[in-house]
Structure formats: structure tokens, C-alpha cells
């Protein structure tokens, strides 16, 4: 028996969407790696963070003091810029560093929950 | 040929049972100029052992008891007229398959006047060498050498990261992994980065020794000289580091796929890259061994298997929404998996378009040209397989594990 158009229609009729997976585009996740490396040296506290596309920064600090956060993030940002100068344009880095100063001030005054998602 | 056990024909191949759990399949065809011998160890996936077993082929290639260094192995292969070895860990559906293979020139073409008289049978030497690679690796104090182990573990880590860099294939692997959440059979053959941190030379060897004792083993020989491999196996038998267990693992128990989620599962990961990869799984319930498998392959071809297919012509060409868009069947899970490289902002639009293409096939919107092109494409693709020793062996191994059509010609017949 040859496969007919009806056989194909029957298969398609049974086809049921079960899963949708998206591997979303992100240009940079280096900050997260740098933070992970540096957190033990600088903070002895738990911090998670990521720089994405050089535009959006997610920072999820837990327990860390604002000063230590700032110190860590700045070191990370500068190290990242030195290690990956072609990926991080100076303007992006300037905006990132500005964000870090601003966000740590936020942390001091409002606590961690208020700056989970910030646009640079 | 002195045969042990039942001898039967499966497709073009002949099958001989060497002992319980060990089969030899051979195809003495003269159309190739090489003899390809492959040993496949079929292992049910256990999460704790997956990564260790994925390392075994790498470690095996580094040296054997009689040829303890890479240099000694290379010299031996050179003396075997430039033979090539390969060893890897892969998955066939839910089964982890550890392969050790060697390709040598067909003995028929080794003219003693030109190449010199070989010292003993080249086939016999090749077989015992590849069996040594699989079962008698170079060890120090009952474990893999620590230096070699560390080097191979680091290389394996780099390779896994390298695989992640192939975004479309990584996305497909992640989708199957997510669909099998909680079931280790959905994990990739190479294991996990986390698992690499906990493996060590001694435990890895212990796991491999135990696996060799219990796993079903298939030995494939394709090319001229294949019959001689069978004769050697029948005459000499096979030696194992710890003998063979009375109870061989029944991989048939592992084949039922894990239950799929009731609702549509939605998962997102974020990685660096130039585009977003969208991967969608459509469940059809048609698996390897099902008589409707050719219809599934045809449906996959109409949807996205070729450049004339609906996904490519609509999503990519007409709507210009994708860098690539195609489908592939997963015959273990009974899925058609659609995959597209897109701009992130077009995600929901592309998702809708892909669903619309499935609905179009469901409504019977298939032109005669689509039918004809798909038929030609599928037949060409399947027949190309028969030109390659490795593709032929892969098809028969899949048949051995799942059942169904043993040769591509049986599928072609119904197209």
C-alpha cells in the first residue's frame, strides 16, 4: 500500500502541540559568570546577576550590603570591559557603571526587591 | 562459517547469535573498499552513570593494555594500512549506545606484492584491537590513569560547551529533555557538565566493567572480509574484564516513552547568540515500528523536511520571518519537531504560522507538486543511506532496538 494524501492528513489530524521551547537571544551573560567568580572573594554572600544584550541588567542580591554589591559589580564590569573590549562598547559600559552606582543607592534606600529589573 | 546460535537474515544483513546478549550482524558486500567493524554496547540510561559512560569512549581511545600510549596506538594503526578507529557515546531513542569502531582496507585489495605480506590476518588483528579498545584499556592500579582522565574530562567539558554553541541542535536536545522532565532517558548522550565534576577514574572503570558484564552487545561488520569476522568470533569467543553476568539487561523495558504533559509545555532559556531558536513539538503517537511510520515521514516532509516544504516556503520565503525553518521526526517519542531561527520579536507570530501550517495539512491542503517533490526527496534521502556503511549500520541498529523496517527499501516501497 502506497502512502496517500489521506494518510498524511490522518497523521496531521493526530498531531497535537505539546511543547514550545525558545532559546532566546542574549548577547552577553558575562557579568553573571564574573559575579559568580568574584562573589566568594569579595562578598561571602550570595548574589546572582546578568548583563544581557548590553542593555538590560538583572540583579538579584541576597543579603549583600550595598557597599559590597557596588564594589563587586564595579570590579566585574571593569574586568568584563577589559577582557571583552570588542563586545562591550564604551558607551554601554559607561551606562552600566552609572546603573551600578544608581542601583546600589536604591538598594540602600529601598531594599533588594525594588531593583530586580532595571533598564540602563 | 562456523556459526553459533541462530542464523537469520534481517534486511541485507545476516545475524548470528554469539552467546546470549551478543549478536553479530554482517554484510559481506563488495561495493565498498573498506571493512567496517563496529561494537555497540546498549545501555539503559541511569542518570548517575550517564556522564561516566560518555567518558569511556574517550578514555578507550587513549591506550590499551598492550598499546598503552597514543603513539603506540597510532603506530599500530599505521601498520594496519592506515586503519582508522572511532569511539563515541550516542543515544538511540532512550538507550545510550557506546560505540567502538575500526575501518580497515578490505583484505581483497591488499596485494602482498605491493603492500608486503601482512603478519597474520589483518581482520583478526583489527577485531582483537577494537575489542581491546573496548574492554582492556590502559589502567594504573585498577583505574584509568589520572592524568589521562583529567585531560579527557576537560576536553569533554569543552565539547559539551561546544555543542551548546550549535544552537539549533542544542534547542532540539533541550526540548526533548524538558519533555522528559524527571526521566533520565531524555538526557543527552554526552551527560552533563555537573556530572563531570563528580566522576573519577576508579569509579568510571568500575561502572564500565559492570556495564560490559550486563549490557546487550551488537557487533556489525560491513564490507568484504565480514564473514571472516564471524568465523573469528565463533572460533575464539570474547573475553570480558569480569565475565558476563547471567542476567543481561533487558532494554526492551526502557523503550516506552515517558508520559507527555497534559497541557502545552512552555520553556524558555537565554543564551548569547545572533537569533532566537523556536522549537515546537507536535505529538502524533506514531513511533518506530508502527506501520504508519512512512506516513509520518511523509507528513514531516510536507511540513518541513525539505526546501519545498510548507515551513520553508511560507515562514521563511513568503513571510521572511525565519533564517531557517524545518521539521524533523523523533520516532522514539512519536513527535514531529519544528524548529526555526527567528528574531526574538517575531516569536508569537512564527509560532502561530507554524501551527497554521499543521492545520493546513490537516485540512488536506497539499498540492500534487508537494506530494511529488516530497516523495522524490524522501526516496533520494533514504537511498543515499545505503551508500554509506555507517548509515546502513545505524538503520539496522535502530531496527534492532525498536523493531520496524530493517532497511530503507522497505520504507521506500510504500512511498
Amino acid at each position: 500500500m502506497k502512502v496517500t494524501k489521506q494518510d498524511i492528513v490522518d497523521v496531521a489530524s493526530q498531531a497535537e502541540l505539546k511543547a514550545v521551547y525558545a532559546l532566546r537571544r542574549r548577547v552577553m551573560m558575562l557579568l553573571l559568570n564574573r559575579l559568580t567568580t568574584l562573589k566568594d572573594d569579595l562578598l561571602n554572600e550570595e548574589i546572582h546577576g546578568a548583563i544581557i544584550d548590553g542593555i538590560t541588567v538583572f540583579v538579584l542580591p541576597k543579603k549583600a550590603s550595598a557597599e559590597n554589591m557596588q564594589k563587586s559589580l564595579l570590579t566585574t564590569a571593569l574586568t568584563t570591559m577589559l577582557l571583552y573590549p570588542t563586545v562591550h562598547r564604551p558607551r554601554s559600559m559607561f551606562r552600566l557603571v552609572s546603573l551600578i552606582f544608581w542601583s546600589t543607592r536604591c538598594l540602600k534606600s529601598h531594599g533588594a526587591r525594588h531593583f530586580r529589573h532595571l533598564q540602563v | 562459517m562456523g556459526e553459533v546460535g541462530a542464523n537469520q537474515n534481517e534486511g541485507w544483513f545476516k545475524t548470528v547469535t554469539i552467546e546470549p546478549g551478543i549478536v553479530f550482524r554482517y554484510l559481506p558486500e563488495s561495493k565498498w573498499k573498506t571493512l567496517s567493524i563496529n561494537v555497540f554496547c546498549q545501555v539503559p540510561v541511569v542518570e548517575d552513570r550517564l556522564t561516566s559512560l560518555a567518558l569511556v569512549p574517550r578514555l578507550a581511545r587513549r591506550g590499551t593494555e598492550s598499546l598503552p600510549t597514543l603513539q603506540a596506538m597510532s603506530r599500530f594503526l599505521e601498520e594496519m594500512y592506515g586503519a582508522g578507529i572511532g569511539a563515541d557515546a550516542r543515544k538511540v531513542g532512550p538507550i545510550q549506545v557506546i560505540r567502538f569502531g575500526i575501518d580497515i582496507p578490505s583484505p581483497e585489495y591488499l596485494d602482498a606484492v605491493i603492500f608486503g605480506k601482512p603478519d597474520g590476518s589483518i581482520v583478526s588483528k583489527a577485531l582483537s584491537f577494537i575489542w581491546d579498545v573496548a574492554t582492556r584499556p590502559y589502567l594504573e592500579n585498577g583505574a584509568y590513569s589520572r592524568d589521562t582522565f583529567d585531560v579527557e574530562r576537560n576536553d569533554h567539558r569543552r565539547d559539551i560547551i561546544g555543542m551548546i554553541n550549535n544552537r539549533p541542535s542544542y534547542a532540539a536536545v533541550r526540548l526533548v529533555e524538558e519533555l522528559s522532565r524527571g526521566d533520565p532517558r531524555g538526557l543527552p548522550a554526552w551527560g552533563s557538565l555537573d556530572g563531570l565534576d563528580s566522576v573519577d577514574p576508579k569509579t568510571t572503570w568500575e561502572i564500565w566493567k559492570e556495564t560490559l558484564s550486563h549490557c546487550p552487545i551488537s557487533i556489525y561488520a560491513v564490507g568484504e572480509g565480514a564473514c571472516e569476522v564471524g568465523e573469528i568470533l565463533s572460533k575464539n569467543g570474547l573475553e570480558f574484564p569480569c565475565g558476563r553476568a547471567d542476567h543481561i539487561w533487558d532494554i526492551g523495558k526502557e523503550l516506552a516513552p515517558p508520559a507527555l504533559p497534559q497541557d502545552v509545555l512552555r520553556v524558555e532559556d537565554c543564551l548569547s547568540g545572533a537569533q532566537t531558536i523556536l522549537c515546537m513539538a507536535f505529538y502524533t503517537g506514531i513511533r518506530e515500528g508502527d506501520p504508519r511510520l512512512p506516513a509520518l515521514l511523509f507528513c514531516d516532509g510536507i511540513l518541513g523536511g525539505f526546501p519545498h516544504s510548507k515551513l520553508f516556503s511560507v515562514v521563511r520565503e513568503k513571510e521572511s520571518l525565519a533564517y531557517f525553518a524545518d521539521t524533523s521526526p523523533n520516532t522514539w517519542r512519536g513527535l514531529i519537531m519544528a524548529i526555526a531561527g527567528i528574531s526574538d520579536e517575531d516569536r508569537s507570530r512564527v509560532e502561530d504560522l507554524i501551527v497554521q501550517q499543521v492545520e493546513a495539512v490537516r485540512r488536506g491542503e497539499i498540492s500534487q507538486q508537494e506530494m511529488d517533490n516530497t516523495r522524490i526527496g524522501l526516496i533520494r534521502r533514504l537511498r543515499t543511506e545505503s551508500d554509506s556503511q555507517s548509515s546502513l549500520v545505524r538503520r539496522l541498529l535502530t531496527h534492532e532496538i525498536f523493531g520496524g523496517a530493517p532497511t530503507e527499501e522497505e520504507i521506500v516501497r510504500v512511498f
Side-chain angles (χ1 to χ4, degrees):
Chain A
M1 284 284 282
K2 297 275 182 194
V3 174
T4 62
K5 194 193 273 190
Q6 187 55 47
D7 295 330
I8 298 159
V9 170
D10 290 345
V11 173
S13 303
Q14 280 179 252
E16 185 187 351
L17 180 61
K18 278 292 177 188
V20 180
Y21 173 81
L23 187 56
R24 299 186 66 186
R25 172 183 180 269
R26 290 288 183 259
V27 174
M28 284 294 294
M29 293 192 77
L30 292 170
L31 190 59
L32 176 65
N33 300 335
R34 298 302 305 162
L35 272 173
T36 313
T37 317
L38 288 167
K39 71 176 183 188
D40 294 336
D41 302 338
L42 291 169
L43 298 170
N44 293 321
E45 298 280 1
E46 199 178 345
I47 282 186
H48 301 285
I51 172 170
I52 297 158
D53 289 1
I55 297 169
T56 309
V57 176
F58 292 89
V59 183
L60 307 171
K62 292 177 185 172
K63 296 179 190 171
S65 71
E67 288 76 14
N68 275 349
M69 265 287 298
Q70 193 175 42
K71 193 177 167 191
S72 169
L73 286 169
L74 266 174
T75 315
T76 305
L78 293 171
T79 317
T80 309
M81 185 168 62
L82 288 171
L83 286 174
Y84 305 96
T86 53
V87 180
H88 273 279
R89 294 187 301 277
R91 189 160 164 267
S92 299
M93 289 311 296
F94 174 75
R95 291 162 79 187
L96 172 66
V97 171
S98 308
L99 169 83
I100 292 164
F101 276 111
W102 181 72
S103 59
T104 42
R105 279 208 304 277
C106 274
L107 179 69
K108 270 184 184 171
S109 48
H110 301 295
R113 280 178 300 136
H114 290 269
F115 78 118
R116 282 192 164 200
H117 182 192
L118 300 165
Q119 294 289 326
V120 179
Chain B
M1 175 174 158
E3 286 157 358
V4 180
N7 185 353
Q8 60 189 80
N9 289 343
E10 262 176 312
W12 304 346
F13 283 77
K14 289 177 179 161
T15 302
V16 180
T17 304
I18 303 292
E19 60 179 84
I22 304 178
V23 291
F24 170 59
R25 294 171 200 275
Y26 65 104
L27 180 64
E29 271 273 335
S30 58
K31 76 177 188 183
W32 297 286
K33 304 291 179 267
T34 53
L35 170 66
S36 173
I37 305 170
N38 283 286
V39 177
F40 295 99
C41 302
Q42 299 161 28
V43 190
V45 171
V46 177
E47 195 167 0
D48 298 345
R49 296 167 166 233
L50 185 73
T51 311
S52 294
L53 289 172
L55 274 175
V56 164
R58 290 179 165 278
L59 295 162
R61 279 180 305 200
R62 291 298 302 267
T64 66
E65 213 172 278
S66 52
L67 301 165
T69 61
L70 265 178
Q71 196 184 16
M73 283 179 98
S74 302
R75 194 170 295 148
F76 172 82
L77 291 168
E78 270 174 36
E79 284 166 9
M80 296 278 287
Y81 308 96
I85 63 162
D88 53 45
R90 58 180 77 176
K91 290 272 297 291
V92 177
I95 306 300
Q96 190 182 25
V97 176
I98 315 293
R99 179 189 75 96
F100 305 91
I102 184 165
D103 287 341
I104 55 170
S106 288
E108 298 291 316
Y109 297 98
L110 296 175
D111 190 322
V113 177
I114 300 169
F115 298 106
K117 199 169 161 52
D119 179 19
S121 154
I122 181 175
V123 177
S124 159
K125 280 163 82 178
L127 183 62
S128 56
F129 169 73
I130 204 63
W131 191 251
D132 276 2
V133 168
T135 62
R136 294 171 67 198
Y138 173 68
L139 301 173
E140 286 173 0
N141 303 320
Y144 290 109
S145 145
R146 168 56 75 180
D147 290 347
T148 307
F149 190 86
D150 288 343
V151 168
E152 292 303 327
R153 176 163 56 181
N154 286 339
D155 283 355
H156 193 64
R157 181 174 285 120
R158 270 196 287 273
D159 280 356
I160 292 177
I161 293 166
M163 287 176 211
I164 294 170
N165 287 335
N166 181 351
R167 300 288 193 247
S169 101
Y170 177 68
V173 168
R174 281 282 297 123
L175 178 61
V176 173
E177 204 176 348
E178 285 294 334
L179 276 172
S180 319
R181 203 181 279 174
D183 190 321
R185 293 176 301 165
L187 295 172
W190 55 74
S192 66
L193 288 172
D194 291 341
L196 273 179
D197 296 330
S198 55
V199 295
D200 70 74
K202 181 130 183 101
T203 319
T204 302
W205 170 238
E206 294 296 332
I207 289 173
W208 180 232
K209 262 196 311 187
E210 197 200 336
T211 302
L212 277 171
S213 299
H214 289 86
C215 70
I217 296 174
S218 302
I219 302 167
Y220 283 78
V222 184
E224 280 181 296
C227 293
E228 197 183 331
V229 177
E231 282 164 16
I232 297 162
L233 283 171
S234 305
K235 205 184 294 172
N236 301 334
L238 294 164
E239 281 182 23
F240 290 85
C242 290
R244 280 289 268 179
D246 295 332
H247 174 69
I248 304 300
W249 288 329
D250 179 7
I251 59 162
K253 287 182 188 164
E254 307 290 322
L255 301 182
L260 287 163
Q262 290 292 319
D263 302 318
V264 179
L265 177 73
R266 290 186 178 273
V267 182
E268 281 182 16
D269 281 337
C270 295
L271 281 176
S272 58
Q275 53 189 269
T276 286
I277 309 294
L278 179 68
C279 210
M280 299 166 74
F282 294 88
Y283 177 67
T284 65
I286 300 169
R287 302 174 56 218
E288 196 76 44
D290 191 308
R292 294 170 298 167
L293 185 72
L296 173 78
L297 299 179
F298 221 117
C299 183
D300 172 69
I302 296 278
L303 258 179
F306 299 99
H308 65 262
S309 304
K310 288 190 184 293
L311 253 57
F312 190 89
S313 57
V314 176
V315 182
R316 187 184 190 278
E317 298 293 283
K318 194 172 155 201
E319 301 288 338
S320 301
L321 285 173
Y323 302 95
F324 65 89
D326 54 49
T327 60
S328 59
N330 179 323
T331 52
W332 169 44
R333 304 296 303 266
L335 301 170
I336 291 178
M337 290 167 59
I339 189 160
I342 56 175
S343 295
D344 197 55
E345 57 270 24
D346 296 327
R347 255 188 321 142
S348 62
R349 210 172 143 210
V350 173
E351 192 183 318
D352 290 345
L353 260 179
I354 291 174
V355 172
Q356 283 168 25
Q357 301 320 302
V358 178
E359 283 166 357
V361 179
R362 207 174 281 163
R363 289 192 299 270
E365 291 170 15
I366 307 165
S367 68
Q368 192 53 48
Q369 195 184 9
E370 281 177 307
M371 287 292 287
D372 293 343
N373 287 345
T374 303
R375 182 172 287 115
I376 292 166
L378 285 168
I379 291 173
R380 188 187 301 127
R381 185 184 288 169
L382 286 164
R383 289 218 165 118
T384 308
E385 279 185 12
S386 63
D387 289 335
S388 150
Q389 287 162 304
S390 60
S391 300
L392 271 180
V393 167
R394 199 166 48 233
R395 161 117 307 268
L396 198 65
L397 185 70
T398 307
H399 160 76
E400 187 184 326
I401 292 172
F402 285 108
T407 67
E408 69 290 341
E409 278 305 319
E410 297 206 9
I411 303 173
V412 165
R413 208 172 292 147
V414 294
F415 281 155

